[in-house]
Amino acid sequence: SVYARLGSKVKVVEFLDSIIPTMDVTMGKKLQKALKKLGFEFYLGHKVTAVEKKGKTLIVKAKAKDGKEIELKGDYCLVSIGRRAYTERL
Protein backbone atom coordinates (compact mmCIF):
# COMPACT_ATOMS: atom_id res chain seq x y z
CA SER A 1 0.00 0.00 0.00
CA VAL A 2 3.00 2.30 0.43
CA TYR A 3 3.60 2.41 -3.31
CA ALA A 4 -0.03 3.34 -4.03
CA ARG A 5 0.07 6.08 -1.41
CA LEU A 6 3.19 7.47 -3.08
CA GLY A 7 1.35 7.68 -6.40
CA SER A 8 2.23 4.42 -8.13
CA LYS A 9 -0.36 2.32 -9.94
CA VAL A 10 -0.30 -1.09 -8.30
CA LYS A 11 -1.55 -4.21 -10.06
CA VAL A 12 -1.63 -7.56 -8.27
CA VAL A 13 -1.55 -10.84 -10.21
CA GLU A 14 -2.43 -13.83 -8.02
CA PHE A 15 -2.71 -17.44 -9.14
CA LEU A 16 -5.30 -18.31 -6.49
CA ASP A 17 -8.72 -16.73 -6.01
CA SER A 18 -7.82 -14.66 -2.94
CA ILE A 19 -5.02 -12.21 -2.15
CA ILE A 20 -4.37 -14.02 1.16
CA PRO A 21 -5.50 -17.58 0.37
CA THR A 22 -4.11 -19.21 3.52
CA MET A 23 -6.04 -16.87 5.82
CA ASP A 24 -9.69 -16.20 6.59
CA VAL A 25 -11.79 -15.52 3.46
CA THR A 26 -13.60 -12.59 5.06
CA MET A 27 -10.30 -10.95 6.01
CA GLY A 28 -9.08 -11.36 2.45
CA LYS A 29 -12.17 -9.68 1.02
CA LYS A 30 -11.92 -6.77 3.47
CA LEU A 31 -8.23 -6.29 2.70
CA GLN A 32 -8.89 -6.38 -1.04
CA LYS A 33 -11.70 -3.82 -0.66
CA ALA A 34 -9.43 -1.47 1.32
CA LEU A 35 -6.62 -1.79 -1.22
CA LYS A 36 -9.02 -1.16 -4.11
CA LYS A 37 -9.92 2.15 -2.48
CA LEU A 38 -6.22 3.06 -2.74
CA GLY A 39 -6.32 2.30 -6.46
CA PHE A 40 -5.02 -1.29 -6.55
CA GLU A 41 -6.12 -3.48 -9.46
CA PHE A 42 -6.44 -7.21 -8.87
CA TYR A 43 -6.12 -10.07 -11.32
CA LEU A 44 -7.05 -13.11 -9.27
CA GLY A 45 -6.94 -16.60 -10.75
CA HIS A 46 -4.22 -15.57 -13.22
CA LYS A 47 -0.95 -17.36 -13.93
CA VAL A 48 2.05 -15.26 -14.96
CA THR A 49 3.38 -16.73 -18.18
CA ALA A 50 6.13 -14.26 -19.08
CA VAL A 51 7.92 -11.09 -18.07
CA GLU A 52 9.69 -9.16 -20.81
CA LYS A 53 11.75 -6.00 -20.82
CA LYS A 54 11.41 -3.63 -23.77
CA GLY A 55 13.52 -0.57 -23.25
CA LYS A 56 12.61 0.82 -19.84
CA THR A 57 9.19 -0.89 -19.81
CA LEU A 58 8.44 -4.26 -18.26
CA ILE A 59 5.62 -6.31 -19.73
CA VAL A 60 3.96 -8.97 -17.57
CA LYS A 61 1.85 -11.51 -19.42
CA ALA A 62 -0.68 -13.58 -17.50
CA LYS A 63 -3.39 -16.08 -18.35
CA ALA A 64 -6.72 -16.51 -16.54
CA LYS A 65 -8.18 -19.92 -15.78
CA ASP A 66 -10.66 -19.41 -18.64
CA GLY A 67 -7.76 -18.93 -21.09
CA LYS A 68 -8.04 -15.14 -21.44
CA GLU A 69 -4.63 -13.49 -21.61
CA ILE A 70 -3.72 -10.08 -20.21
CA GLU A 71 -0.68 -7.85 -20.65
CA LEU A 72 0.35 -5.38 -17.94
CA LYS A 73 2.99 -2.72 -18.57
CA GLY A 74 5.00 -0.87 -15.97
CA ASP A 75 8.34 0.45 -14.82
CA TYR A 76 8.93 -2.19 -12.14
CA CYS A 77 7.79 -5.70 -11.25
CA LEU A 78 7.81 -6.78 -7.61
CA VAL A 79 7.66 -10.55 -7.18
CA SER A 80 6.43 -12.23 -4.01
CA ILE A 81 6.13 -15.99 -3.83
CA GLY A 82 5.02 -16.46 -0.26
CA ARG A 83 6.35 -16.46 3.24
CA ARG A 84 8.09 -18.93 5.46
CA ALA A 85 8.65 -18.48 9.16
CA TYR A 86 12.27 -17.99 10.17
CA THR A 87 12.46 -20.24 13.22
CA GLU A 88 16.02 -21.46 13.03
CA ARG A 89 17.95 -20.76 16.27
CA LEU A 90 14.83 -19.78 18.20
Coordinates of all heavy atoms in Angstrom, one line a residue:
S1 N 0.8 -1.2 0.0 CA 0.0 0.0 0.0 C 0.9 1.3 0.0 O 0.4 2.3 -0.4 CB -1.0 0.0 1.2 OG -0.2 0.1 2.4
V2 N 2.1 1.1 0.4 CA 3.0 2.3 0.4 C 3.2 2.8 -1.0 O 3.1 4.1 -1.2 CB 4.4 1.9 1.0 CG1 5.4 3.1 0.9 CG2 4.2 1.6 2.5
Y3 N 3.4 2.0 -1.9 CA 3.6 2.4 -3.3 C 2.4 3.2 -3.9 O 2.5 4.2 -4.5 CB 3.9 1.2 -4.2 CG 5.2 0.6 -3.8 CD1 5.3 -0.7 -3.2 CD2 6.5 1.2 -4.1 CE1 6.5 -1.3 -2.8 CE2 7.7 0.6 -3.7 CZ 7.7 -0.6 -3.1 OH 8.8 -1.2 -2.7
A4 N 1.2 2.7 -3.6 CA 0.0 3.3 -4.0 C -0.2 4.7 -3.4 O -0.6 5.7 -4.0 CB -1.3 2.5 -3.7
R5 N 0.2 4.8 -2.1 CA 0.1 6.1 -1.4 C 1.1 7.1 -1.9 O 0.9 8.3 -1.8 CB 0.2 5.9 0.1 CG -1.0 5.2 0.7 CD -0.8 5.1 2.2 NE -2.0 4.4 2.7 CZ -2.0 3.5 3.7 NH1 -0.9 3.3 4.3 NH2 -3.1 3.0 4.1
L6 N 2.2 6.6 -2.5 CA 3.2 7.5 -3.1 C 2.9 7.8 -4.5 O 3.7 8.5 -5.2 CB 4.6 6.8 -3.0 CG 5.1 6.7 -1.5 CD1 6.4 5.9 -1.5 CD2 5.4 8.1 -0.9
G7 N 1.8 7.3 -5.1 CA 1.3 7.7 -6.4 C 1.5 6.6 -7.5 O 1.2 6.9 -8.6
S8 N 2.0 5.5 -7.1 CA 2.2 4.4 -8.1 C 0.9 3.7 -8.4 O 0.1 3.5 -7.5 CB 3.3 3.4 -7.7 OG 4.5 4.0 -7.5
K9 N 0.8 3.2 -9.6 CA -0.4 2.3 -9.9 C 0.1 0.9 -9.6 O 1.1 0.5 -10.0 CB -0.7 2.4 -11.4 CG -1.4 3.7 -11.8 CD -1.8 3.6 -13.3 CE -2.6 4.9 -13.7 NZ -3.0 4.8 -15.1
V10 N -0.7 0.2 -8.8 CA -0.3 -1.1 -8.3 C -1.3 -2.1 -8.9 O -2.5 -2.0 -8.7 CB -0.3 -1.2 -6.7 CG1 0.1 -2.6 -6.3 CG2 0.7 -0.1 -6.2
K11 N -0.7 -3.1 -9.5 CA -1.6 -4.2 -10.1 C -1.1 -5.5 -9.5 O 0.1 -5.8 -9.5 CB -1.5 -4.2 -11.6 CG -2.0 -2.9 -12.2 CD -1.8 -2.9 -13.7 CE -2.2 -1.5 -14.2 NZ -2.1 -1.4 -15.6
V12 N -2.0 -6.3 -8.9 CA -1.6 -7.6 -8.3 C -2.1 -8.7 -9.1 O -3.3 -8.8 -9.5 CB -2.3 -7.6 -6.9 CG1 -2.0 -9.0 -6.2 CG2 -1.8 -6.5 -6.0
V13 N -1.2 -9.6 -9.5 CA -1.6 -10.8 -10.2 C -1.4 -12.0 -9.2 O -0.3 -12.2 -8.7 CB -0.6 -11.0 -11.4 CG1 -1.0 -12.3 -12.2 CG2 -0.7 -9.8 -12.4
E14 N -2.4 -12.7 -9.0 CA -2.4 -13.8 -8.0 C -3.0 -15.1 -8.7 O -4.1 -15.0 -9.3 CB -3.3 -13.5 -6.8 CG -3.5 -14.6 -5.8 CD -2.3 -15.2 -5.3 OE1 -1.4 -14.5 -4.8 OE2 -2.2 -16.5 -5.3
F15 N -2.3 -16.2 -8.5 CA -2.7 -17.4 -9.1 C -4.0 -18.0 -8.5 O -4.9 -18.5 -9.2 CB -1.6 -18.5 -9.0 CG -1.9 -19.8 -9.7 CD1 -1.9 -19.9 -11.0 CD2 -2.1 -20.9 -8.9 CE1 -2.2 -21.1 -11.6 CE2 -2.4 -22.1 -9.5 CZ -2.5 -22.2 -10.9
L16 N -4.1 -17.8 -7.2 CA -5.3 -18.3 -6.5 C -6.4 -17.3 -6.5 O -6.2 -16.2 -7.1 CB -4.9 -18.7 -5.1 CG -3.9 -19.8 -5.0 CD1 -3.5 -20.1 -3.5 CD2 -4.4 -21.1 -5.6
D17 N -7.5 -17.6 -5.9 CA -8.7 -16.7 -6.0 C -8.8 -15.7 -4.9 O -9.9 -15.1 -4.7 CB -10.0 -17.6 -6.1 CG -10.1 -18.4 -7.4 OD1 -9.6 -17.8 -8.4 OD2 -10.6 -19.5 -7.4
S18 N -7.8 -15.6 -4.1 CA -7.8 -14.7 -2.9 C -6.4 -14.1 -2.8 O -5.4 -14.7 -3.1 CB -8.2 -15.4 -1.6 OG -8.1 -14.6 -0.5
I19 N -6.4 -12.8 -2.3 CA -5.0 -12.2 -2.1 C -4.3 -12.8 -0.9 O -3.1 -12.7 -0.9 CB -5.1 -10.7 -2.1 CG1 -6.0 -10.2 -0.9 CG2 -5.6 -10.1 -3.4 CD1 -5.9 -8.7 -0.8
I20 N -5.0 -13.3 0.0 CA -4.4 -14.0 1.2 C -5.0 -15.4 1.3 O -5.8 -15.6 2.3 CB -4.4 -13.2 2.5 CG1 -5.8 -12.6 2.7 CG2 -3.4 -12.1 2.4 CD1 -5.9 -12.0 4.1
P21 N -4.8 -16.3 0.4 CA -5.5 -17.6 0.4 C -5.4 -18.5 1.6 O -6.2 -19.3 1.8 CB -4.9 -18.3 -0.9 CG -3.6 -17.6 -1.1 CD -3.7 -16.2 -0.6
T22 N -4.3 -18.3 2.4 CA -4.1 -19.2 3.5 C -4.8 -18.6 4.8 O -4.7 -19.3 5.8 CB -2.6 -19.4 3.8 OG1 -2.0 -18.2 4.0 CG2 -1.9 -20.1 2.6
M23 N -5.4 -17.5 4.7 CA -6.0 -16.9 5.8 C -7.6 -16.8 5.6 O -8.1 -17.3 4.6 CB -5.5 -15.5 6.0 CG -4.0 -15.5 6.3 SD -3.3 -13.9 6.7 CE -3.3 -14.0 8.4
D24 N -8.2 -16.3 6.6 CA -9.7 -16.2 6.6 C -10.2 -15.5 5.3 O -9.7 -14.4 4.9 CB -10.1 -15.4 7.8 CG -11.6 -15.3 8.0 OD1 -12.3 -16.4 8.1 OD2 -12.1 -14.2 7.9
V25 N -11.2 -16.1 4.7 CA -11.8 -15.5 3.5 C -12.3 -14.1 3.7 O -12.1 -13.2 2.8 CB -12.9 -16.5 2.9 CG1 -13.6 -15.9 1.7 CG2 -12.3 -17.8 2.6
T26 N -13.0 -13.9 4.8 CA -13.6 -12.6 5.1 C -12.5 -11.5 5.2 O -12.6 -10.4 4.7 CB -14.5 -12.6 6.4 OG1 -15.4 -13.7 6.2 CG2 -15.1 -11.3 6.6
M27 N -11.4 -11.9 5.9 CA -10.3 -10.9 6.0 C -9.7 -10.6 4.6 O -9.4 -9.4 4.4 CB -9.2 -11.6 6.9 CG -9.5 -11.6 8.4 SD -8.2 -12.4 9.3 CE -6.8 -11.4 8.9
G28 N -9.6 -11.6 3.8 CA -9.1 -11.4 2.4 C -9.9 -10.4 1.7 O -9.4 -9.5 1.0
K29 N -11.2 -10.6 1.7 CA -12.2 -9.7 1.0 C -12.1 -8.3 1.5 O -12.1 -7.3 0.8 CB -13.6 -10.2 1.1 CG -13.8 -11.5 0.3 CD -15.2 -12.0 0.4 CE -15.4 -13.2 -0.4 NZ -16.7 -13.8 -0.3
K30 N -12.0 -8.1 2.9 CA -11.9 -6.8 3.5 C -10.6 -6.1 3.1 O -10.6 -4.9 2.8 CB -12.1 -6.8 5.0 CG -13.5 -7.2 5.4 CD -13.7 -7.1 6.9 CE -15.1 -7.4 7.2 NZ -15.7 -6.6 8.3
L31 N -9.5 -6.8 3.1 CA -8.2 -6.3 2.7 C -8.3 -5.9 1.2 O -7.8 -4.8 0.9 CB -7.1 -7.3 2.9 CG -5.7 -6.9 2.5 CD1 -5.3 -5.6 3.2 CD2 -4.7 -8.0 2.7
Q32 N -8.8 -6.7 0.4 CA -8.9 -6.4 -1.0 C -9.7 -5.1 -1.3 O -9.4 -4.3 -2.0 CB -9.5 -7.6 -1.8 CG -9.5 -7.3 -3.3 CD -9.9 -8.6 -4.1 OE1 -9.9 -9.7 -3.6 NE2 -10.2 -8.4 -5.3
K33 N -10.8 -5.0 -0.5 CA -11.7 -3.8 -0.7 C -11.0 -2.6 -0.2 O -11.0 -1.5 -0.9 CB -12.9 -4.0 0.2 CG -14.0 -2.9 0.1 CD -15.2 -3.2 0.9 CE -16.2 -2.1 0.9 NZ -17.4 -2.3 1.7
A34 N -10.2 -2.6 0.9 CA -9.4 -1.5 1.3 C -8.3 -1.1 0.3 O -8.1 0.1 0.1 CB -8.8 -1.8 2.7
L35 N -7.7 -2.1 -0.3 CA -6.6 -1.8 -1.2 C -7.2 -1.2 -2.5 O -6.6 -0.4 -3.2 CB -5.8 -3.0 -1.5 CG -5.0 -3.5 -0.3 CD1 -4.3 -4.8 -0.6 CD2 -3.9 -2.5 0.2
K36 N -8.4 -1.7 -2.9 CA -9.0 -1.2 -4.1 C -9.3 0.3 -4.0 O -9.2 1.1 -4.9 CB -10.3 -1.9 -4.4 CG -10.1 -3.2 -5.2 CD -11.5 -3.8 -5.6 CE -11.3 -5.0 -6.4 NZ -12.5 -5.6 -6.9
K37 N -9.7 0.7 -2.7 CA -9.9 2.2 -2.5 C -8.7 3.0 -2.7 O -8.7 4.2 -3.0 CB -10.4 2.4 -1.1 CG -11.9 1.9 -0.9 CD -12.4 2.2 0.5 CE -13.8 1.8 0.7 NZ -14.3 2.0 2.1
L38 N -7.5 2.4 -2.5 CA -6.2 3.1 -2.7 C -5.8 3.0 -4.2 O -4.8 3.6 -4.6 CB -5.1 2.4 -1.9 CG -5.2 2.6 -0.4 CD1 -4.1 1.8 0.3 CD2 -5.1 4.0 0.0
G39 N -6.6 2.3 -5.0 CA -6.3 2.3 -6.5 C -5.7 1.0 -7.0 O -5.3 0.9 -8.1
F40 N -5.6 0.0 -6.1 CA -5.0 -1.3 -6.5 C -5.9 -1.9 -7.6 O -7.2 -1.8 -7.5 CB -4.9 -2.3 -5.4 CG -3.7 -2.1 -4.5 CD1 -3.4 -0.9 -3.9 CD2 -2.9 -3.2 -4.3 CE1 -2.3 -0.8 -3.1 CE2 -1.8 -3.1 -3.5 CZ -1.5 -1.9 -2.9
E41 N -5.4 -2.6 -8.5 CA -6.1 -3.5 -9.5 C -5.7 -4.9 -9.2 O -4.5 -5.2 -9.0 CB -5.8 -3.1 -10.9 CG -6.3 -1.8 -11.4 CD -5.9 -1.5 -12.8 OE1 -5.8 -2.5 -13.6 OE2 -5.7 -0.3 -13.1
F42 N -6.7 -5.8 -9.2 CA -6.4 -7.2 -8.9 C -6.8 -8.1 -10.0 O -7.8 -7.9 -10.7 CB -7.2 -7.6 -7.6 CG -6.8 -7.0 -6.4 CD1 -7.4 -5.8 -5.9 CD2 -5.7 -7.5 -5.6 CE1 -6.9 -5.2 -4.8 CE2 -5.3 -6.9 -4.5 CZ -5.9 -5.7 -4.1
Y43 N -5.9 -9.0 -10.3 CA -6.1 -10.1 -11.3 C -6.0 -11.4 -10.6 O -4.9 -12.0 -10.6 CB -5.1 -9.9 -12.5 CG -5.2 -8.6 -13.1 CD1 -4.5 -7.5 -12.7 CD2 -6.1 -8.4 -14.2 CE1 -4.7 -6.2 -13.3 CE2 -6.3 -7.2 -14.8 CZ -5.5 -6.1 -14.4 OH -5.7 -4.8 -14.9
L44 N -7.1 -11.9 -10.0 CA -7.1 -13.1 -9.3 C -7.3 -14.3 -10.2 O -8.0 -14.1 -11.2 CB -8.1 -13.1 -8.1 CG -7.9 -11.9 -7.1 CD1 -9.1 -12.0 -6.1 CD2 -6.6 -11.9 -6.5
G45 N -6.8 -15.4 -9.9 CA -6.9 -16.6 -10.8 C -6.2 -16.5 -12.1 O -6.6 -17.1 -13.1
H46 N -5.1 -15.7 -12.0 CA -4.2 -15.6 -13.2 C -2.8 -16.2 -13.0 O -2.3 -16.0 -11.9 CB -4.1 -14.1 -13.6 CG -5.2 -13.5 -14.2 ND1 -6.4 -13.3 -13.6 CD2 -5.4 -13.1 -15.5 CE1 -7.3 -12.7 -14.4 NE2 -6.7 -12.6 -15.6
K47 N -2.3 -16.8 -14.0 CA -1.0 -17.4 -13.9 C 0.0 -16.5 -14.8 O -0.3 -16.3 -16.0 CB -1.0 -18.8 -14.5 CG 0.4 -19.5 -14.5 CD 0.2 -20.8 -15.2 CE 1.6 -21.5 -15.3 NZ 1.4 -22.8 -15.9
V48 N 1.1 -16.0 -14.2 CA 2.0 -15.3 -15.0 C 2.8 -16.2 -15.9 O 3.3 -17.2 -15.5 CB 3.1 -14.6 -14.0 CG1 4.2 -13.9 -14.8 CG2 2.4 -13.5 -13.1
T49 N 2.8 -15.9 -17.2 CA 3.4 -16.7 -18.2 C 4.7 -16.2 -18.7 O 5.5 -16.9 -19.2 CB 2.4 -17.0 -19.4 OG1 2.0 -15.7 -19.9 CG2 1.2 -17.7 -18.9
A50 N 4.9 -14.9 -18.6 CA 6.1 -14.3 -19.1 C 6.3 -12.9 -18.5 O 5.3 -12.2 -18.2 CB 6.1 -14.2 -20.6
V51 N 7.6 -12.5 -18.4 CA 7.9 -11.1 -18.1 C 9.0 -10.7 -19.1 O 10.0 -11.4 -19.2 CB 8.4 -10.9 -16.6 CG1 8.8 -9.5 -16.3 CG2 7.4 -11.4 -15.6
E52 N 8.7 -9.6 -19.8 CA 9.7 -9.2 -20.8 C 10.1 -7.7 -20.5 O 9.3 -6.9 -20.0 CB 9.1 -9.2 -22.2 CG 8.6 -10.6 -22.6 CD 7.8 -10.6 -23.9 OE1 7.6 -9.5 -24.5 OE2 7.3 -11.7 -24.3
K53 N 11.3 -7.4 -20.9 CA 11.8 -6.0 -20.8 C 12.0 -5.4 -22.2 O 12.7 -6.0 -23.0 CB 13.1 -5.9 -20.0 CG 13.5 -4.5 -19.8 CD 14.7 -4.5 -18.9 CE 15.1 -3.0 -18.6 NZ 16.2 -2.9 -17.7
K54 N 11.3 -4.3 -22.5 CA 11.4 -3.6 -23.8 C 11.8 -2.2 -23.5 O 10.9 -1.4 -23.0 CB 10.1 -3.7 -24.6 CG 9.8 -5.1 -25.1 CD 8.6 -5.1 -26.0 CE 8.4 -6.5 -26.5 NZ 7.2 -6.6 -27.4
G55 N 13.0 -1.9 -23.6 CA 13.5 -0.6 -23.3 C 13.5 -0.4 -21.7 O 14.0 -1.2 -21.0
K56 N 12.8 0.6 -21.3 CA 12.6 0.8 -19.8 C 11.3 0.3 -19.3 O 11.0 0.4 -18.1 CB 12.7 2.3 -19.5 CG 14.1 2.9 -19.7 CD 14.1 4.3 -19.3 CE 15.6 4.8 -19.4 NZ 15.7 6.2 -18.9
T57 N 10.5 -0.4 -20.2 CA 9.2 -0.9 -19.8 C 9.2 -2.4 -19.6 O 9.8 -3.1 -20.4 CB 8.2 -0.6 -20.9 OG1 8.1 0.8 -21.1 CG2 6.8 -1.1 -20.5
L58 N 8.6 -2.8 -18.5 CA 8.4 -4.3 -18.3 C 7.0 -4.7 -18.7 O 6.1 -3.9 -18.4 CB 8.6 -4.6 -16.8 CG 10.1 -4.5 -16.3 CD1 10.1 -4.6 -14.8 CD2 10.9 -5.5 -16.9
I59 N 6.9 -5.8 -19.3 CA 5.6 -6.3 -19.7 C 5.4 -7.7 -19.0 O 6.2 -8.6 -19.2 CB 5.6 -6.5 -21.3 CG1 5.8 -5.1 -21.9 CG2 4.2 -7.1 -21.7 CD1 6.0 -5.2 -23.4
V60 N 4.3 -7.7 -18.3 CA 4.0 -9.0 -17.6 C 2.8 -9.6 -18.3 O 1.7 -8.9 -18.5 CB 3.6 -8.7 -16.1 CG1 3.1 -10.0 -15.4 CG2 4.8 -8.1 -15.3
K61 N 2.9 -10.8 -18.7 CA 1.8 -11.5 -19.4 C 1.3 -12.6 -18.5 O 2.1 -13.3 -17.8 CB 2.3 -12.2 -20.7 CG 2.8 -11.2 -21.7 CD 3.3 -11.8 -23.0 CE 3.8 -10.8 -24.0 NZ 4.2 -11.4 -25.2
A62 N 0.0 -12.6 -18.4 CA -0.7 -13.6 -17.5 C -1.9 -14.2 -18.2 O -2.5 -13.6 -19.1 CB -1.1 -12.9 -16.2
K63 N -2.3 -15.4 -17.7 CA -3.4 -16.1 -18.3 C -4.4 -16.5 -17.2 O -4.0 -17.0 -16.2 CB -2.9 -17.3 -19.0 CG -3.9 -18.1 -19.9 CD -3.2 -19.3 -20.5 CE -3.6 -19.4 -22.0 NZ -2.9 -20.5 -22.6
A64 N -5.7 -16.1 -17.5 CA -6.7 -16.5 -16.5 C -7.1 -18.0 -16.7 O -6.7 -18.6 -17.7 CB -8.0 -15.7 -16.8
K65 N -7.8 -18.5 -15.7 CA -8.2 -19.9 -15.8 C -9.1 -20.2 -17.0 O -9.1 -21.3 -17.5 CB -8.9 -20.3 -14.5 CG -8.0 -20.3 -13.3 CD -8.7 -20.6 -12.0 CE -7.7 -20.6 -10.8 NZ -8.4 -20.8 -9.6
D66 N -9.8 -19.2 -17.5 CA -10.7 -19.4 -18.6 C -9.9 -19.3 -20.0 O -10.5 -19.3 -21.0 CB -11.9 -18.5 -18.6 CG -11.5 -17.0 -18.7 OD1 -10.3 -16.7 -18.9 OD2 -12.4 -16.1 -18.6
G67 N -8.6 -19.0 -19.9 CA -7.8 -18.9 -21.1 C -7.5 -17.5 -21.6 O -6.7 -17.3 -22.5
K68 N -8.2 -16.5 -21.0 CA -8.0 -15.1 -21.4 C -6.7 -14.6 -21.0 O -6.3 -14.8 -19.9 CB -9.1 -14.3 -20.8 CG -9.1 -12.8 -21.2 CD -10.2 -12.0 -20.6 CE -10.0 -10.5 -20.9 NZ -11.0 -9.7 -20.2
E69 N -6.0 -14.0 -21.9 CA -4.6 -13.5 -21.6 C -4.7 -12.0 -21.4 O -5.4 -11.3 -22.1 CB -3.7 -13.8 -22.7 CG -3.4 -15.3 -22.8 CD -2.3 -15.7 -23.8 OE1 -1.6 -14.8 -24.2 OE2 -2.3 -16.9 -24.2
I70 N -3.8 -11.5 -20.5 CA -3.7 -10.1 -20.2 C -2.2 -9.7 -20.3 O -1.4 -10.5 -20.2 CB -4.3 -9.7 -18.8 CG1 -3.5 -10.4 -17.7 CG2 -5.7 -9.9 -18.7 CD1 -3.8 -9.8 -16.3
E71 N -2.0 -8.4 -20.6 CA -0.7 -7.9 -20.6 C -0.7 -6.6 -19.8 O -1.4 -5.7 -20.0 CB -0.4 -7.5 -22.1 CG 1.0 -7.8 -22.5 CD 1.3 -7.5 -24.0 OE1 1.3 -6.3 -24.3 OE2 1.4 -8.5 -24.7
L72 N 0.2 -6.5 -18.8 CA 0.4 -5.4 -17.9 C 1.7 -4.7 -18.2 O 2.7 -5.4 -18.2 CB 0.2 -5.8 -16.5 CG -1.0 -6.6 -16.1 CD1 -0.9 -7.1 -14.7 CD2 -2.3 -5.7 -16.3
K73 N 1.7 -3.4 -18.3 CA 3.0 -2.7 -18.6 C 3.3 -1.8 -17.4 O 2.4 -1.3 -16.8 CB 2.9 -1.9 -19.8 CG 2.7 -2.7 -21.1 CD 2.6 -1.9 -22.3 CE 2.4 -2.8 -23.5 NZ 2.2 -2.0 -24.8
G74 N 4.6 -1.7 -17.1 CA 5.0 -0.9 -16.0 C 6.5 -0.6 -16.0 O 7.2 -1.1 -16.8
D75 N 6.9 0.1 -15.0 CA 8.3 0.5 -14.8 C 9.1 -0.6 -14.0 O 10.3 -0.8 -14.2 CB 8.5 1.8 -14.1 CG 7.9 2.9 -15.0 OD1 8.0 2.9 -16.2 OD2 7.4 3.9 -14.4
Y76 N 8.3 -1.2 -13.0 CA 8.9 -2.2 -12.1 C 8.0 -3.4 -12.0 O 6.8 -3.3 -12.1 CB 9.2 -1.6 -10.8 CG 10.2 -0.5 -10.8 CD1 9.7 0.9 -10.8 CD2 11.5 -0.7 -10.7 CE1 10.7 1.9 -10.9 CE2 12.4 0.3 -10.7 CZ 12.0 1.6 -10.8 OH 12.9 2.7 -10.8
C77 N 8.6 -4.5 -11.5 CA 7.8 -5.7 -11.2 C 8.3 -6.3 -9.9 O 9.5 -6.6 -9.8 CB 8.0 -6.7 -12.4 SG 7.1 -8.3 -12.1
L78 N 7.5 -6.2 -8.9 CA 7.8 -6.8 -7.6 C 7.2 -8.2 -7.5 O 6.0 -8.4 -7.7 CB 7.2 -5.9 -6.5 CG 7.4 -6.4 -5.1 CD1 8.9 -6.4 -4.7 CD2 6.7 -5.5 -4.1
V79 N 8.1 -9.2 -7.2 CA 7.7 -10.5 -7.2 C 7.6 -11.0 -5.7 O 8.6 -10.8 -5.0 CB 8.6 -11.4 -8.0 CG1 8.2 -12.9 -7.9 CG2 8.6 -11.0 -9.5
S80 N 6.5 -11.6 -5.3 CA 6.4 -12.2 -4.0 C 5.9 -13.6 -4.2 O 4.8 -13.8 -4.8 CB 5.5 -11.4 -3.1 OG 5.3 -12.0 -1.9
I81 N 6.6 -14.6 -3.6 CA 6.1 -16.0 -3.8 C 5.7 -16.7 -2.5 O 5.6 -17.9 -2.4 CB 7.2 -16.8 -4.6 CG1 8.5 -16.8 -3.8 CG2 7.4 -16.4 -6.0 CD1 9.6 -17.7 -4.3
G82 N 5.5 -15.9 -1.5 CA 5.0 -16.5 -0.3 C 5.9 -16.1 0.9 O 6.9 -15.4 0.8
R83 N 5.6 -16.7 2.0 CA 6.4 -16.5 3.2 C 6.7 -17.8 3.9 O 5.9 -18.7 3.8 CB 5.6 -15.6 4.2 CG 5.2 -14.3 3.7 CD 4.4 -13.5 4.7 NE 3.3 -14.2 5.3 CZ 2.6 -13.7 6.2 NH1 2.8 -12.6 6.8 NH2 1.5 -14.4 6.7
R84 N 7.7 -17.8 4.7 CA 8.1 -18.9 5.5 C 8.6 -18.4 6.8 O 9.5 -17.5 6.8 CB 9.1 -19.8 4.7 CG 9.3 -21.1 5.4 CD 10.2 -22.0 4.6 NE 11.6 -21.8 5.0 CZ 12.6 -22.3 4.5 NH1 12.5 -23.0 3.4 NH2 13.8 -22.1 5.0
A85 N 8.2 -18.9 7.9 CA 8.7 -18.5 9.2 C 10.1 -18.8 9.3 O 10.6 -19.9 9.0 CB 7.9 -19.2 10.3
Y86 N 10.8 -17.8 9.9 CA 12.3 -18.0 10.2 C 12.4 -18.4 11.6 O 12.3 -17.6 12.5 CB 13.1 -16.7 9.9 CG 14.5 -16.9 10.2 CD1 15.3 -17.6 9.3 CD2 15.1 -16.3 11.3 CE1 16.7 -17.7 9.5 CE2 16.5 -16.4 11.5 CZ 17.2 -17.2 10.6 OH 18.6 -17.3 10.9
T87 N 12.5 -19.7 11.9 CA 12.5 -20.2 13.2 C 13.8 -20.9 13.6 O 13.9 -21.3 14.7 CB 11.3 -21.3 13.4 OG1 11.5 -22.3 12.4 CG2 10.0 -20.6 13.2
E88 N 14.7 -20.9 12.7 CA 16.0 -21.5 13.0 C 16.7 -20.7 14.2 O 16.6 -19.4 14.2 CB 16.9 -21.4 11.8 CG 18.1 -22.3 11.9 CD 18.8 -22.4 10.5 OE1 18.2 -22.6 9.5 OE2 20.1 -22.2 10.5
R89 N 17.3 -21.3 15.1 CA 18.0 -20.8 16.3 C 17.0 -20.1 17.3 O 17.5 -19.2 18.0 CB 19.0 -19.8 15.8 CG 20.1 -20.4 15.0 CD 21.2 -19.4 14.8 NE 22.1 -19.8 13.7 CZ 23.0 -19.1 13.2 NH1 23.2 -17.9 13.6 NH2 23.8 -19.6 12.3
L90 N 15.8 -20.4 17.2 CA 14.8 -19.8 18.2 C 14.7 -20.7 19.4 O 14.8 -21.8 19.4 CB 13.4 -19.6 17.6 CG 13.4 -18.5 16.6 CD1 11.9 -18.4 16.1 CD2 13.8 -17.1 17.1

